[in-house]
Amino acid sequence: MCCATIGRAWGHPCEMCPAQPHPCRRGFIPNIRTGACQDVDECQAIPGLCQGGNCINTVGSYECKCPAGHKQSETSHRCEDVDECGAISGVCDGGECTNTAGSYVCTCPRGFMTSPDGSRCIDQRIGTCFSALIGGRCAGDLPGQYTKMQCCCDSGRCWAIAQTPEMCPVRGSDEYRRLCIEGLPVVPGFPGSFPGIPGFGPNGVGPGLNGPGGIGPNGANGQGGIPGLPGMGPGSSSIGTATLNQTIDICKHFTNLCLNGRCIPTPSSYRCECNMGYKQDVRGECIGE
């Protein structure tokens, strides 16, 4: 039974399991009466297999479904916590990552705020926005004060705080995506300086193009620098002009939409399918039961 299932060796002293258990292949064992090879139910045969998760027998093998933020250990075969701080590159950009059971939290420095899902630091510092770069220097300072997102995701080329200039990320780069696209659903009360994106976030139902409001967790009247993305969220209705004839896979474009669950794209929005032990709250997000 050991060598026919997950075993690699057996007994004291230890004997290596054969590469091809005789007379059936791994995952099968001979029927005592007929001698025919039959499937082994590993979930029944090996107590503690997939402990902390849900063990599902398959023909010739098994599947272990672990809760969010956990994965099956190759040595103990239990569901163990994933250390996201070490596993995800660029996690808590600009802050300090602390691993928690099934998740992680970011501690952000002064001038930054933690996103509502705790996954990243959002720059809330106010500085000067420049519309041009001349000879590698910031030029054409604009009147007023801007956050880096307000400046760089609109027409700014350079942003400076306390006389320290920072170049705006190149459009289309990973840094630009993190600042201007992934940051959008979680920035509360953003001033209306960027026309062209409907409100989005869980239950995002804003009227969309050129609406007067701000981008917030519930996406009402959201505005942004990208024309024509749909209003997003379970039950959302707002669709921008650029997407009327095509479907955007929201789940691929925006990570972290369904913390503690699985993101399922729908024709103009998305919904969350919650992991075991979590249920949907009124906003359609997965929270612990």
Side-chain angles (χ1 to χ4, degrees):
M1 184 62 79
C2 168
C3 291
T5 55
I6 62 166
R8 294 290 176 268
W10 176 86
H12 299 283
C14 179
E15 294 172 34
M16 293 297 289
C17 285
Q20 169 70 43
H22 188 72
C24 303
R25 67 185 175 89
R26 190 179 284 277
F28 295 86
I29 208 161
N31 183 294
I32 296 167
R33 287 191 302 278
T34 65
C37 292
Q38 66 182 38
D39 175 53
V40 178
D41 183 345
E42 288 85 357
C43 301
Q44 293 276 312
I46 307 162
L49 181 65
C50 194
Q51 194 176 330
N54 193 13
C55 185
I56 300 158
N57 185 51
T58 63
V59 177
S61 188
Y62 74 99
E63 269 184 63
C64 181
K65 296 213 180 288
C66 293
H70 294 75
K71 71 174 180 181
Q72 191 184 20
S73 158
E74 287 180 17
T75 49
S76 72
H77 295 279
R78 295 191 186 100
C79 287
E80 294 183 352
D81 177 49
V82 174
D83 181 358
E84 290 87 355
C85 299
I88 306 170
S89 67
V91 71
C92 289
D93 202 10
E96 192 179 308
C97 180
T98 307
N99 187 50
T100 63
S103 189
Y104 63 98
V105 290
C106 298
T107 308
C108 301
R110 183 191 289 246
F112 291 73
M113 67 175 250
T114 312
S115 63
D117 64 2
S119 71
R120 58 188 177 276
C121 297
I122 300 161
D123 195 341
Q124 292 290 290
R125 296 171 302 161
I126 296 291
T128 307
C129 189
F130 297 84
S131 61
L133 259 178
I134 299 170
R137 289 181 168 276
C138 303
D141 54 315
L142 301 170
Q145 295 283 289
Y146 299 78
T147 64
K148 189 173 183 181
M149 181 192 271
Q150 283 172 308
C151 174
C152 294
C153 302
D154 191 18
S155 55
R157 298 288 307 282
C158 180
W159 179 79
I161 185 161
Q163 309 304 313
T164 308
E166 293 182 25
M167 302 301 155
C168 286
V170 176
R171 281 174 191 266
S173 65
D174 280 352
E175 195 189 342
Y176 180 85
R177 193 185 75 248
R178 278 201 303 273
L179 179 69
C180 302
I181 298 174
E182 289 175 11
L184 283 177
V186 293
V187 181
F190 201 59
S193 60
F194 308 135
I197 194 169
F200 72 106
N203 284 346
V205 292
L209 298 177
N210 301 319
I215 296 161
N218 63 356
N221 298 342
Q223 300 174 325
I226 305 165
L229 276 179
M232 302 176 204
S236 167
S237 60
S238 173
I239 302 180
T241 51
T243 55
L244 288 172
N245 299 320
Q246 67 193 67
T247 300
I248 281 189
D249 185 343
I250 302 308
C251 301
K252 273 190 190 155
H253 279 72
F254 300 93
T255 52
N256 284 344
L257 282 179
C258 292
L259 212 64
N260 305 315
R262 195 158 67 94
C263 182
I264 314 285
T266 63
S268 65
S269 180
Y270 72 94
R271 64 186 173 83
C272 296
E273 199 175 81
C274 295
N275 293 329
M276 222 167 37
Y278 293 87
K279 63 175 177 26
Q280 286 195 340
D281 65 7
V282 291
R283 298 178 301 166
E285 291 182 340
C286 300
I287 55 167
E289 288 184 332

